[in-house]
Amino acid sequence: MVIETDADAGEWISITDAAARLSAAGDRVDRSTLSRYLKQHSEALPMREEGKSHLVEYGALVAHRGENIRLRTVPPISGQAPGLGTKAKSPPSRFAGSQSDGFARKAQADAEMREMDLAKRRGELTPTAEVDKAGRDAIALMQSAFERAIESEAASLSVKYGWDERVARIALKGFVRVGLDDFNREIRERLDQRERERVAGDANPFDQVPLQ
């Protein structure tokens, strides 16, 4: 558990601890949903970095969610103090906080749709089919260029160093094959990494993974 207290700044805790405390208080939310909520409201809820953890001021978070997230509550029974209702008349615990989670997911989805619409109007989005075709065409052109270069380079090495042209051609083809295998492996690893980040919920769908 990461907790940092400051007399002026309040109580700063990790996102995981904040999600656990909110859920215990009736605002059922998991870490992934809370992380997206904090990114969406980053101006109102700034975070601190403490080692590998991101900290949020818990008091400000509770106040902000109290103003923006409508929690499901049970009205008190007439003549009875709040919180003293019988267990039979309380809603099942599995439904507690479901409304807050629904509002958080809807807010996140709306924000992503607005961002996607803006990117589309700016011409920043490209259909995946076009990207796939362009990638395949680029690889085919690269392989064709290598094959043409092998023929001319094998002849050049034969003349320059007296090497057997057939042997030089075989060696160059081996180098090309190793290079293409490394290239394909690197691309697959980066795509797998991107997919893991997307599944974990930590990746913004508009982020770009650098290829170098």
Side-chain angles (χ1 to χ4, degrees):
M1 178 181 296
V2 179
I3 300 179
E4 179 181 327
T5 57
D6 188 292
D8 298 323
E11 182 182 12
W12 293 79
I13 63 176
S14 68
I15 298 176
T16 300
D17 294 336
R21 290 178 61 173
L22 287 172
S23 297
D27 182 2
R28 294 293 179 87
V29 61
D30 57 34
R31 186 196 181 284
S32 178
T33 301
L34 182 58
S35 177
R36 291 193 295 269
Y37 181 88
L38 291 171
K39 290 178 181 178
Q40 180 183 352
H41 301 285
S42 58
E43 293 185 1
L45 296 169
M47 290 188 289
R48 292 181 180 178
E49 290 189 5
E50 182 73 17
K52 295 183 179 180
S53 299
H54 290 80
L55 308 182
V56 60
E57 206 286 295
Y58 184 67
L61 174 61
V62 171
H64 191 276
R65 288 182 68 83
E67 296 175 357
N68 293 276
I69 302 296
R70 295 168 56 190
L71 300 179
R72 173 176 294 181
T73 58
V74 180
I77 301 174
S78 178
Q80 189 176 51
L84 297 181
T86 62
K87 184 176 181 181
K89 294 183 180 181
S90 299
S93 60
R94 66 190 182 93
F95 292 112
S98 60
Q99 187 173 6
S100 65
D101 290 345
F103 275 108
R105 287 193 294 269
K106 184 178 185 303
Q108 177 67 18
D110 289 344
E112 291 180 357
M113 288 300 296
R114 288 194 297 270
E115 190 172 356
M116 184 178 295
D117 181 65
L118 178 60
K120 183 178 181 180
R121 285 188 278 111
R122 288 177 174 175
E124 297 173 352
L125 295 182
T126 303
T128 54
E130 294 183 13
V131 175
D132 180 73
K133 183 178 184 301
R136 293 176 185 274
D137 290 345
I139 292 176
L141 288 173
M142 180 173 63
Q143 291 176 327
S144 177
F146 280 144
E147 290 174 359
R148 292 195 303 271
I150 286 173
E151 296 300 325
S152 61
E153 287 300 313
S156 176
L157 291 172
S158 176
V159 172
K160 186 174 183 179
Y161 298 105
W163 296 349
D164 183 274
E165 184 175 339
R166 185 182 63 84
V167 174
R169 186 181 299 108
I170 293 174
L172 291 174
K173 286 183 177 180
F175 292 149
V176 169
R177 183 170 58 255
V178 171
L180 289 175
D181 288 344
D182 287 344
F183 173 79
N184 290 331
R185 183 176 62 256
E186 180 72 17
I187 292 298
R188 285 196 301 271
E189 289 177 355
R190 290 180 180 272
L191 291 175
D192 289 343
Q193 176 186 354
R194 184 63 173 171
E195 179 64 15
R196 288 194 297 271
E197 292 175 353
R198 186 192 67 79
V199 172
D202 295 331
N204 186 303
F206 300 98
D207 287 344
Q208 294 182 351
V209 177
L211 294 180
Q212 60 180 9

